[in-house]
Amino acid sequence: MNVLLDVLLRAVVWLALAPLLPGIITKTKAWVAGRRGPPVLQLSYDLARLWRKGVVLSTLVSPGFVIGPAVAWVAVFGAALLLPLGALGTGLGFEGDVLLFVYLLALARFCTAWAAMETGSAFEGMGAAREVSYAVLSEAAIIAAVLALCVQSGSTSLVAMLTPAAGAGAVLLAAGLFVVLLAENCRVPFDDPNTHLELTMIHEVMVLDHSGPPLAVILHGASVKLLLFAVFLTEAVLPMGSLTPLAATGALAASVLVVTLATGMTESLLARFAFRRVPLLLTVGFLLCLFALLFAWRGGPA
Amino acid sequence: MSESSPFALFPNTASLPWADVPEWPGAEFVRATAGELDRGARLCAWFGVPESKGVRLVAVIAFDADNTLAVGRSTPIVGAYPALTATHPQAHLFEREVHEQHALVPTGHPWLKSVRASAGTAPAPDAFFRVEGREVHEVAVGPVHAGIIEPGHFRFQCAGEEVLHLEIALGYQHRGVEAALLGGPHRATRSQIETAAGDTTIAHATAPAQVLEALAGAEAPLRAQWMRAVALELERLANHTGDLGALSGDVAFLPTAAACGKIRGDFLNLTALVCGNRFGRGLVLPGGARHDLEPARVVAVLERLAPAMEEVERAATWLWDAASVRSRFENIGTVFTPQAAELGLVGLAARACGLVRDVRYDQPAGWYRFAQAPIAVWPGGDVFARARVRWLEIQRSGAFLLEQLSAPPESHLLDPLPASAPDTFAVALVEGWRGEVCHAALTDRAGRFQSYKIVDPSFHNWAGLALALRGQAISDFPLCNKSFNLSYCGFDL
């Protein structure tokens, strides 16, 4: 019973807090631009609105068009539940759960691309092609980061990996994972979440034909993914194990906020990269994680 | 160069009797026009005038180096004539237009399809140019777009992300402006013309006013000419500032995008302060101007102009200082200088290719005979060059305005205009913010419009955008498109 309650509480925390992050990023950008900006809860309002709407389905699509976003949402949410929340640890962890974590994220991407291809639209095909091309590099970076944590902690369980400090490679890991966070969550300089220009989109163009509840699920899933990466980045770098439970929770919340603000500032002050330069930056992210791995491997215990 | 021209020479905003315009049979007329274009002239307008025995072709060309315009016409043609486009690509859209409007067939035209003809409510679905190949795919964008912009259809032939060819189909906003003007000027004429392209209101209102003044053999009072120049430069400031912001927005560079949106509003509000309308509607009248700027309001305009110029300077500095922006602008969407010359690009798109081409300097009329801003030219032909020319023009128009507003000429504002001369042809060119706005009118025996031709700069420049996309990544199309920022309604008329 306690386990069930624990998982439920965690689910509420993840699902309720996630939509705040895009709101904070938007607020940061508005503040830099000297505007007031939409309320922090805007995404929640949008989700409520979309949930009440009907669904427009093309006559061409198979059920995959709706199943794709649903599976993707479940996969991301599942991956989130595997992550320990500071001192609370995780309710579902097991030895080797990091492999499931990585594969769940890959499954979510596959399902989004699958649903996009269902429409047969040239735009969405282009977007899916771009998404999976860049994923080749960003997934390599995630795997390098995970390996670095594994080697350092000598474990393949997320709780054990994320509790101690990342050691000498912490700065490298933080920089590398921040690049991955920006790329995976379609933020500037990789993608522009605000653009209306279909031809320049990566992630946004894949969901152009979705509407109503499936779109709400996609948007909510994207915010959970953003929170997931922010939590992962924070816990990979900070020595959560050496803090008191209260301090650990506070540090986690503060760091997630800092990461979110940093994303907002990056987005405010940097122009978006041309597509041909995206692999360059992603490779840099991969190399940073790779060097963190080398540190963990050859640098000895932190 | 122009002295030995067989065409009838006349300065900008002048008229000449229709009978004095030299005429040739169709094929010889095309050859004569080709000869003039080979000698460095530029095609400003090419259109048909229907008569009982056929359709006369009329060519208005500009000898920029000699600051003079020239006009020639053909004898009435029925059926086919040899295409000018075969040797001079700058005529390609004009000849398609003549084909569409008057059913003349320019033989040898490589791509003879409709320009803006409607099949019901949309342009005719003519076949698009296709690139064949297993790796080639086609992307169709529009006419309904994701943003609040005008309708146009873009058909890309792509190999992966690379664009091999772009074809642009417009005409979705064809309202029949030119046809509505025939038999005019009547009561609606002025508002019909000045809304040919809403963001170019002053230029599209000044040109017909000058045409009517030329037809009547009159000139607007000096103070009205000064008012028109002030309004025209304010229009340029507002649009260029908005475009710098939009360019910055397209590469997701927030600071300049946010600031320029606000400053554009400041400039538009200055126009509103001058005449009560943010786009300058109703300010320019044939024979003068409707609103005067009394000393108190001149001071008010000056007081608001100076801080707005400082703000736009700051916003532009952010843009030029950001390396991430520069890497998006440089070497993207390049139109090479020979291409630009061959296509007959005008305005800032031409100046961004290093062509020194500015009506205010080459064919000065109105107030620009007395006061000039230096021409802003930048070599390169890429998005960066077009952004850079915009910035140079913002600075120079700002300086021009500060100078002109401090010394207004003294005169009355509006003269009643005598009736237009019968059987007379008049042309007015105005350098709008996009480029050369050309209006040409021919009166009938009663002095009414027998033919009225409007050429928006977009008509010349859309082909430049299509060329700029060759070999580019398709994801850079919105950026290239914005760097030209051409008018759909000005093209569709």
Side-chain angles (χ1 to χ4, degrees), chain A residues 130 196-197 200 268 270-272 274, chain B residues 146 161 251-252 255 324 328 475:
Chain A
R130 289 168 183 169
H196 65 266
L197 307 163
T200 70
S268 303
L270 207 60
R272 191 182 161 183
Chain B
E161 294 271 340
V251 297
S324 57
R328 289 300 307 275
S475 56

Side-chain angles (χ1 to χ4, degrees), chain B residues 433-457:
Chain B
W433 63 275
R434 275 194 193 92
E436 171 187 295
V437 168
C438 172
H439 285 233
L442 171 66
T443 52
D444 60 13
R445 212 164 295 159
R448 318 294 291 179
F449 290 146
Q450 183 192 340
S451 173
Y452 197 97
K453 180 77 201 136
I454 301 173
V455 185
D456 190 83

